[in-house]
Amino acid sequence: MIRHISFLLLLLFLSFSSCGNAHGDQTTASDTTMAKPNSDGLVIKLTAAEFKKLIWDYEKSPSVWKYKGDIPCLVDFYADWCRPCKMVAPIMDELAKTYKGKVRIYKVNTDEQRELSGIFQIRSIPTMLFIPKKGEPQMSAGAMPKESYVEIINKMLSGK
């Protein structure tokens, strides 16, 4: 009986750990306010134009990943209506403060930045894009506990 309850709780958690997102490749007008990359300690909201300027210009080099940042970063693809995204937001705020000067935390609203959602084929939110200073980025879909984000960030910082 305890196993059944544990299994049901796990299923319940997983069902609420991500929200579907089927926006595809549609684009919207970009915000003209540019993010300040030196806003360490804060989660920085990005537009597609800012993403191309600060992280990777997928139009100039669509087949080659070339990270433009000076420190590793994490990009949180989210939507305002997504309950798991709302649960992850305070964790991202904490991580931005904890890793101030070591890792930048960005967020991209998938409803507003549909071009980026299409480029990264975001189908479930929250989706995290972990970008080390060197090497290839890694993606993770669904909400995770803070400890999992900390573990991934620490591996990213150690270069493993």
Side-chain angles (χ1 to χ4, degrees):
M1 172 126 174
I2 293 175
R3 281 187 176 179
H4 293 304
I5 292 171
S6 297
F7 181 71
L8 289 174
L9 288 173
L10 176 63
L11 283 177
L12 183 62
F13 173 75
L14 291 175
S15 68
F16 287 109
S17 69
S18 68
C19 296
N21 185 12
H23 294 302
D25 296 317
Q26 300 172 6
T27 58
T28 59
S30 292
D31 185 358
T32 56
T33 307
M34 295 302 277
K36 295 179 178 87
N38 293 326
S39 299
D40 288 347
L42 300 173
V43 175
I44 304 163
K45 188 173 178 182
L46 291 178
T47 64
E50 293 163 341
F51 187 95
K52 289 185 277 188
K53 180 180 176 188
L54 300 172
I55 298 177
W56 172 50
D57 191 336
Y58 48 85
E59 290 179 337
K60 287 186 180 174
S61 64
S63 60
V64 178
W65 174 262
K66 186 174 180 187
Y67 179 49
K68 294 180 170 194
D70 57 342
I71 60 175
C73 73
L74 185 160
V75 181
D76 173 8
F77 289 90
Y78 78 101
D80 291 329
W81 51 264
C82 169
R83 182 173 296 187
C85 299
K86 290 178 183 182
M87 293 174 7
V88 168
I91 295 171
M92 293 299 116
D93 291 337
E94 288 178 41
L95 293 174
K97 291 174 187 159
T98 300
Y99 290 97
K100 180 180 179 179
K102 296 177 185 173
V103 175
R104 250 181 224 109
I105 311 288
Y106 296 107
K107 66 183 193 173
V108 172
N109 186 317
T110 57
D111 288 332
E112 296 172 359
Q113 303 303 317
R114 294 183 180 180
E115 177 181 322
L116 281 173
S117 297
I119 293 292
F120 288 98
Q121 300 176 2
I122 304 299
R123 300 289 178 252
S124 175
I125 51 176
T127 292
M128 301 296 165
L129 177 64
F130 298 93
I131 305 171
K133 178 94 171 86
K134 295 180 181 179
E136 294 295 316
Q138 302 293 317
M139 293 189 84
S140 173
M144 297 186 292
K146 180 180 175 183
E147 296 77 23
S148 297
Y149 295 117
V150 167
E151 183 179 334
I152 294 169
I153 290 170
N154 286 339
K155 284 182 183 177
M156 201 168 53
L157 288 172
S158 69
K160 294 181 181 177

